[in-house]
Amino acid sequence: MTTPAPLETRAQQLVVITGATGFIGRTIAAAVRRDGWSVRALVRRPDAALAAEGIDLVTGALEDEASLRRLVAGAGFVIHCAGAIKARTAEAFHTVNAAGTERLLAAMAQVAQPSRLILMSSLAAREPSLSAYAASKRAGETIALADANTTARDLCIVRPPAVYGPGDLTTLGLFRTLGSRLALLPGRSDARFSLIYVEDLAELASALLRKPSWGGQIIEPDDGQAGGYRWADLVAVAGRHLRRSVRTCYLPAGLLWGPVKAYEAVMRLAGSVPTVSTDKLRELFHRDWVCRLTPPAACTCWQPRVQFSEGFARTWSWYTRSGWI
Ligand SMILES: NC(=O)c1ccc[n+]([C@@H]2O[C@H](COP(=O)([O-])OP(=O)(O)OC[C@H]3O[C@@H](n4cnc5c(N)ncnc54)[C@H](OP(=O)(O)O)[C@@H]3O)[C@@H](O)[C@H]2O)c1
């Protein structure tokens, strides 16, 4: 197993990142660059912003084995952050999140230097029966764990809960809801869930690179809110920040199920990716999305800095400045 370079030689250590054009991967790439490492990223199309940060770009995809071999050549670390968070079918989720991980590992096995792997999984992987997305993320973990067992590769699986922050399209709808006077919430009033601000997750990925080994551990990082949040906590934060009273209405699953199922069927027939699905409803109505395997500070040199009150303010400000809200 390779040991990380001391501070002054980080620039000579190559960190490969997949998914660096996405919400989380882009923030991780910036954090890792700030920390002084050399970074190479897989991109499906040219990305001037990444290139301007001094990141070496390899054009390719998880389906293109030759590009994956070029990508990982000489890497000390691979942070595998590319993934499908929306897809038309279960097979499409599997192709990217499970088979894509397998192809990346196969490419890593073909190059001379062994590299260490951080797999960006999801808390959803804890409940693989809830959705095709969750099942595909669990399958990706299983593939990475089996590879680590047979090759002795050093592996860390990171299972973030819901990630939010500037630039995120997925939680934009939630922020719009929280910013209205009547928050219509598709979920249960007694559900509890953890959150993490994207910069904190990126700092965690960067801090992990400084650890000499991870030993295949699975971590579920959150923003430090013990026991997670309830929807009412989020509504209260939004109300305080926006200085308005926000009323809450919980939309029952039974009311949403039929229309969402019909919408999903139409989108499938049209060959389009549905933005909401019955799978997503099952995830939303799950009662417990609280992180349990939180990384102890002593083990990661990392502490979350941004709780939801601060994260809401920063993200709201970014959305309004950018004209998204
Ligand atoms: N957002 C969350 O709340 C959350 C929570 C837990 C876990 N995660 C996990 O974190 C990872 C990143 O999520 P995100 O929110 O940043 O998603 P995102 O914004 O949709 O980014 C996905 C990234 O993966 C790349 N990608 C997708 N399919 C690919 C393929 N076949 N080949 C190469 N690259 C491909 C995308 O490239 P293009 O730009 O070319 O499309 C993009 O860079 C995912 O693995 C997701 O499961 C996310």
Side-chain angles (χ1 to χ4, degrees):
M1 176 195 314
T2 28
T3 14
L7 270 178
E8 64 277 10
T9 55
R10 271 184 213 157
Q12 283 131 45
Q13 285 259 353
L14 179 62
V15 179
V16 155
I17 304 182
T18 67
T21 52
F23 166 56
I24 295 174
R26 190 177 290 280
T27 317
I28 291 179
V32 172
R33 275 297 289 147
R34 268 198 311 275
D35 240 7
W37 305 87
S38 292
V39 176
R40 183 187 292 155
L42 179 70
V43 292
R44 294 199 279 191
R45 62 196 74 81
D47 191 293
L50 289 176
E53 291 205 39
I55 294 173
D56 178 27
L57 303 183
V58 168
T59 305
L62 291 173
E63 294 76 15
D64 173 354
E65 289 166 15
S67 73
L68 295 179
R69 283 194 295 275
R70 284 199 307 279
L71 177 75
V72 299
F77 301 88
V78 175
I79 304 178
H80 180 32
C81 200
I85 56 172
K86 280 187 280 184
R88 210 162 63 81
T89 60
E91 292 71 38
F93 273 122
H94 188 87
T95 301
V96 179
N97 295 340
T101 302
E102 196 161 28
R103 271 191 294 271
L104 180 65
L105 285 164
M108 288 163 72
Q110 284 170 39
V111 294
Q113 180 180 349
S115 42
R116 302 169 63 194
L117 174 69
I118 297 177
L119 175 68
M120 194 56 66
S121 182
S122 166
L123 199 57
R126 204 168 71 184
E127 304 290 346
S129 60
L130 279 184
S131 65
Y133 169 71
S136 70
K137 294 301 282 185
R138 173 63 86 85
E141 288 188 358
T142 306
I143 288 164
L145 284 164
D147 166 83
N149 274 338
T150 50
T151 64
R153 182 185 309 291
D154 195 26
L155 167 72
C156 180
I157 293 177
V158 181
R159 286 180 174 170
V163 187
Y164 70 98
D168 185 28
L169 275 170
T170 311
T171 44
L172 174 62
L174 170 65
F175 274 73
R176 285 196 175 128
T177 300
L178 293 174
S180 62
R181 292 193 182 275
L182 176 64
L184 300 172
L185 299 168
R188 318 166 53 105
S189 59
D190 62 348
R192 299 203 77 99
F193 47 87
S194 298
L195 295 171
I196 190 162
Y197 187 65
V198 67
E199 289 284 351
D200 273 341
L201 180 59
E203 291 301 331
L204 168 67
S206 204
L208 283 169
L209 300 178
R210 297 194 288 270
K211 302 305 296 175
S213 83
W214 310 311
Q217 68 177 318
I218 299 180
I219 54 179
E220 299 176 352
D222 64 12
D223 67 0
Q225 171 84 8
Y229 296 91
R230 292 166 310 135
W231 288 106
D233 300 324
L234 272 49
V235 169
V237 164
R240 269 198 305 278
H241 182 74
L242 301 171
R243 295 198 167 85
R244 62 172 73 137
S245 66
V246 181
R247 289 188 16 249
T248 307
C249 173
Y250 293 94
L251 302 172
L255 183 75
L256 298 170
W257 195 263
V260 167
K261 208 171 159 64
Y263 159 80
E264 202 179 357
V266 170
M267 293 297 276
R268 288 235 162 88
L269 277 176
S272 306
V273 179
T275 47
V276 285
S277 61
T278 45
D279 266 15
K280 190 48 70 189
L281 286 186
R282 268 189 226 101
E283 290 175 11
L284 280 168
F285 281 87
H286 185 64
R287 240 198 216 114
D288 173 19
W289 285 123
V290 177
C291 290
R292 310 224 185 282
L293 307 172
T294 49
C299 124
T300 56
C301 318
W302 170 86
Q303 290 250 339
R305 296 205 179 107
V306 181
Q307 283 220 318
F308 189 67
S309 48
E310 171 68 18
F312 179 88
R314 290 192 197 182
T315 309
W316 183 268
S317 157
W318 188 92
Y319 282 145
T320 49
R321 267 188 287 118
S322 309
W324 289 23
I325 285 184

